[in-house]
Amino acid sequence: TEAEKLIDNYNGESSFYNTENQTAYLVIDRADETSAIHEIFTHPFLILIEKHNMELYNNLLNEAKSNKEVVQYVIDNYGKIIDHEIIARYIDLETRGELNRKNTVIDYIKDFYNNLSSYLKSLFNLKEVTIEQLSPNITLKELTQLILNSKLKIDLKQEVSNKVNNF
């Protein structure tokens, strides 16, 4: 197949991202919405964060690495630890609400505050946030919510050539 020609040790993956040519590859009969978002959006987004806000990138990586199941998933699927994949996997699970977390009273208070904050931002039509403005202390959950609530301005054309090849 074409995918086998493009990557060594192709194991039937539904999609993959080539950092050398900054291109996402989707296998038409295997890729789904999650794999498309993972490859087309998450990897270029992480490249921008790593380039423009290294402290944030390191904090996100540490948070993602604290989840042993996420790290083990990456090791099992890639044969080694790959930082971008660990963060991307964590974001995938967070987006789908599949992370097993025990909510404490503090978590509920934080969620309430975040929801109130989002409401007030929309009520007052506050400006978008850029990658450079993100606090290095933002959590992956907060980052995911920011992305899903469309308050984060991300210009992937700015420095990352985001190409997609389907086959």
Side-chain angles (χ1 to χ4, degrees):
T1 67
E2 285 187 59
E4 291 171 320
K5 295 175 190 173
L6 292 171
I7 61 172
D8 296 328
N9 303 322
Y10 176 73
N11 293 317
E13 291 89 344
S14 62
S15 60
F16 51 95
Y17 187 82
N18 183 325
T19 54
E20 291 176 16
N21 65 11
Q22 299 177 342
T23 303
Y25 295 90
L26 305 175
V27 180
I28 294 296
D29 59 343
R30 293 193 179 117
D32 61 13
E33 289 176 0
T34 301
S35 55
I37 291 169
H38 176 98
E39 304 301 349
I40 296 169
F41 173 76
T42 305
H43 283 294
F45 179 63
L46 290 174
I47 290 168
L48 285 174
I49 289 177
E50 187 177 27
K51 185 173 184 176
H52 293 287
N53 198 335
M54 192 61 178
E55 186 177 1
L56 169 60
Y57 180 85
N58 287 330
N59 288 342
L60 296 176
L61 179 60
N62 289 334
E63 182 182 352
K65 280 186 171 180
S66 72
N67 186 310
K68 302 300 178 204
E69 293 164 358
V70 169
V71 173
Q72 192 59 51
Y73 174 89
V74 171
I75 292 170
D76 291 347
N77 285 277
Y78 297 93
K80 60 184 177 179
I81 292 177
I82 302 171
D83 292 347
H84 275 228
E85 290 300 336
I86 291 172
I87 300 171
R89 175 67 178 166
Y90 193 103
I91 290 172
D92 291 346
L93 294 174
E94 186 67 64
T95 301
R96 294 190 310 241
E98 294 180 12
L99 286 175
N100 296 327
R101 293 185 183 199
K102 295 179 182 175
N103 287 332
T104 65
V105 173
I106 299 298
D107 291 328
Y108 289 116
I109 292 170
K110 285 181 181 177
D111 285 344
F112 172 77
Y113 175 76
N114 288 335
N115 290 333
L116 178 61
S117 175
S118 294
Y119 171 73
L120 292 173
K121 287 176 184 175
S122 67
L123 183 66
F124 295 112
N125 197 23
L126 296 179
K127 294 184 178 184
E128 299 169 318
V129 178
T130 65
I131 289 174
E132 293 82 4
Q133 294 171 314
L134 290 175
S135 166
N137 298 318
I138 193 170
T139 66
L140 284 164
K141 182 175 184 173
E142 293 166 340
L143 180 64
T144 302
Q145 288 174 346
L146 191 62
I147 293 167
L148 293 176
N149 292 328
S150 301
K151 291 292 181 192
L152 182 61
K153 182 179 180 182
I154 304 166
D155 184 6
L156 294 179
K157 295 177 186 174
Q158 162 183 323
E159 294 174 45
V160 177
S161 170
N162 193 22
K163 301 174 225 163
V164 179
N165 286 350
N166 295 313
F167 45 84

